Amino acid sequence: MPTNLMEIIRTKIQQSGPISLEEYMRLALMHPEYGYYMTKDPFGAGGDFITAPEMTQAFGELIGLWCIDIWQSIGRPANFSLVEIGPGRGTLMHDALRAARVAPEFLNAANLYLVEPSLLLRKRQNELLGAYNPTWIEKLEQLPNLPTITIANEVFDALPIKQFVRLRQGWMERRVGLSPTGSLVFVLQTAPDCPSFDMPEESVVEVCPGAGEFASAIARPIVKNRGAALIIDYGDDEVYGETLQAISHHRAAHPLTAPGVADLTAHVNFEPLAIAMRKIGCRIHGTKNMGDWLMEVGIRERTEQLVMRADETQSRSLVTALQRLTDQSSASAMGKLFKVMAVTDRATPTPSGFHL
């Protein structure tokens, strides 16, 4: 019997032939025993990567105030679902709810739901959020029939993708197979299900098969019961080329070297998300560069407030985080690489951060 994820994948390929990159990513990230997100706490300096909420409390606080603004816009419902998808350690939501103390009625009305399959991460989240009586769910379909405000920070980039490569003879799918020595390698196979792209030879296209339905699942309760969603991720309205990457201990790794050990992500193509949500009946706001959005909702002013009460080390950290999150000096700078998109029902006014 296989004893680790590499052996499970190798056995599957030996029995049935090369597997899609989509299936490989799903196993590497979400296998119940060996999947990356099921067995690790990857966040922070001691993990594999640092997300925006881990850099500065101002990030989560501003999102908390954004949620209050939405709640007020939809008529201050006495009960509503406050949802975070992929909450990590719970840092973002912890900061958001602390900031929300300025509106006690909002906190009293909020029913906190965390979409998290990992028992390990649920334990971490409970350490920060247990006082708010969260309910953990695995699917958005488990939400109650209430107005819903959803936060999805760096969620869509972890959805499994397929890759297609344009050769002289046509499009081929890049799949995961075995070398003669038994290591995992990329192989090309004919791709009858490849979408039609008119692109030159050697072009690479990535498709996320599950993104549209996942976006629709976010949109349905918003259309049915009012509300909004805030989606923050790296990518663009349209993404071309190869963007799959693996990260381990804050360094790039090969995606096939250690399944379940390294994080696997790809840039998010926001336009299919917007199309899926519009079909459900939502209004789409953005996308907007994260640096612009953060500046509009007040990250500079909030950082200045925090610096006034901080020691020298904390001040440097806060200023560094502000610069990093809002920097748009290059395509890879966080303030430009990351995009923000809001989703609302048709009756809700344009949310804060999207007026300019």
Side-chain angles (χ1 to χ4, degrees):
M1 293 290 292
T3 57
N4 58 49
L5 188 54
M6 178 68 86
E7 287 306 310
I8 290 172
I9 294 172
R10 187 179 285 124
T11 299
K12 181 181 285 286
I13 295 171
Q14 288 170 339
Q15 292 175 345
S16 306
I19 61 175
S20 69
L21 181 56
E22 179 188 18
E23 183 176 2
Y24 171 78
M25 287 184 68
R26 186 175 293 112
L27 289 168
L29 296 176
M30 301 303 297
H31 187 277
E33 289 183 77
Y34 304 114
Y36 179 80
Y37 283 112
M38 307 301 281
T39 60
K40 295 187 68 175
D41 177 357
F43 304 95
D48 294 321
F49 53 84
I50 298 177
T51 59
E54 306 283 342
M55 295 182 196
T56 173
Q57 69 185 72
F59 185 84
E61 289 173 345
L62 292 170
I63 289 176
L65 298 178
W66 188 91
C67 291
I68 293 172
D69 186 57
I70 291 293
W71 174 72
Q72 293 171 338
S73 296
I74 62 175
R76 301 170 178 257
N79 276 293
F80 75 98
S81 298
L82 179 60
V83 183
E84 186 176 4
I85 306 172
R89 291 175 172 170
T91 305
L92 186 158
M93 186 57 70
H94 183 255
D95 291 335
L97 292 173
R98 183 181 60 252
R101 291 174 188 168
V102 299
E105 295 151 340
F106 171 90
L107 288 177
N108 291 336
N111 300 278
L112 181 59
Y113 290 89
L114 304 175
V115 184
E116 179 59 72
S118 168
L119 295 180
L120 173 64
L121 290 177
R122 287 186 182 192
K123 193 173 181 180
R124 298 283 189 273
Q125 293 153 17
N126 190 55
E127 293 170 2
L128 284 181
L129 301 171
Y132 297 98
N133 299 313
T135 298
W136 282 272
I137 59 177
E138 293 193 16
K139 295 182 178 181
L140 290 163
E141 288 77 10
Q142 296 172 262
L143 289 172
N145 195 29
L146 291 171
T148 302
I149 301 174
T150 298
I151 306 301
N153 179 57
E154 292 198 58
V155 171
F156 280 89
D157 65 284
L159 295 184
I161 63 166
K162 290 186 175 184
Q163 283 186 341
F164 299 94
V165 183
R166 178 72 162 89
L167 301 181
R168 180 173 299 178
Q169 63 269 37
W171 285 98
M172 306 285 281
E173 182 179 359
R174 183 177 284 162
R175 297 169 69 87
V176 179
L178 293 176
S179 73
T181 60
S183 59
L184 299 180
V185 293
F186 287 119
V187 298
L188 293 176
Q189 291 187 332
T190 55
D193 62 337
C194 175
S196 178
F197 296 104
D198 184 14
M199 300 178 71
E201 286 184 36
E202 301 186 4
S203 296
V204 177
V205 170
E206 295 174 338
V207 175
C208 184
E213 179 49 42
F214 192 52
S216 298
I218 292 174
R220 288 187 188 105
I222 293 172
V223 171
K224 184 177 181 182
N225 301 304
R226 300 210 65 187
L230 188 68
I231 299 170
I232 304 173
D233 228 314
Y234 64 91
D236 213 332
D237 291 336
E238 294 182 332
V239 176
Y240 298 103
E242 183 176 357
T243 70
L244 175 69
Q245 62 179 342
I247 299 292
S248 180
H249 300 294
H250 304 272
R251 295 184 178 182
H254 192 282
L256 303 184
T257 299
V261 176
D263 185 30
L264 299 174
T265 66
H267 288 206
V268 177
N269 190 339
F270 278 87
E271 186 57 28
L273 311 186
I275 290 171
M277 290 173 160
R278 286 193 185 101
K279 284 182 179 178
I280 299 294
C282 285
R283 291 177 63 209
I284 304 299
H285 311 269
T287 59
K288 192 165 189 175
N289 287 351
M290 184 175 73
D292 292 331
W293 185 81
L294 286 172
M295 293 297 281
E296 189 172 338
V297 297
I299 194 170
R300 183 180 298 282
E301 292 80 3
R302 179 55 181 153
T303 299
E304 290 172 352
Q305 292 174 347
L306 293 170
V307 166
M308 290 176 64
R309 302 195 300 267
D311 60 31
E312 187 175 345
T313 300
Q314 292 169 333
S315 295
R316 281 198 301 268
S317 178
L318 287 164
V319 171
T320 298
L322 172 65
Q323 293 170 341
R324 187 173 177 189
L325 292 176
T326 59
D327 179 21
Q328 300 185 58
S329 60
S330 69
S332 61
M334 285 190 73
K336 189 170 186 177
L337 176 63
F338 279 73
K339 301 295 188 291
V340 185
M341 182 171 78
V343 185
T344 65
D345 62 90
R346 293 191 182 279
T348 297
T350 299
S352 60
F354 295 92
H355 293 97
L356 298 179

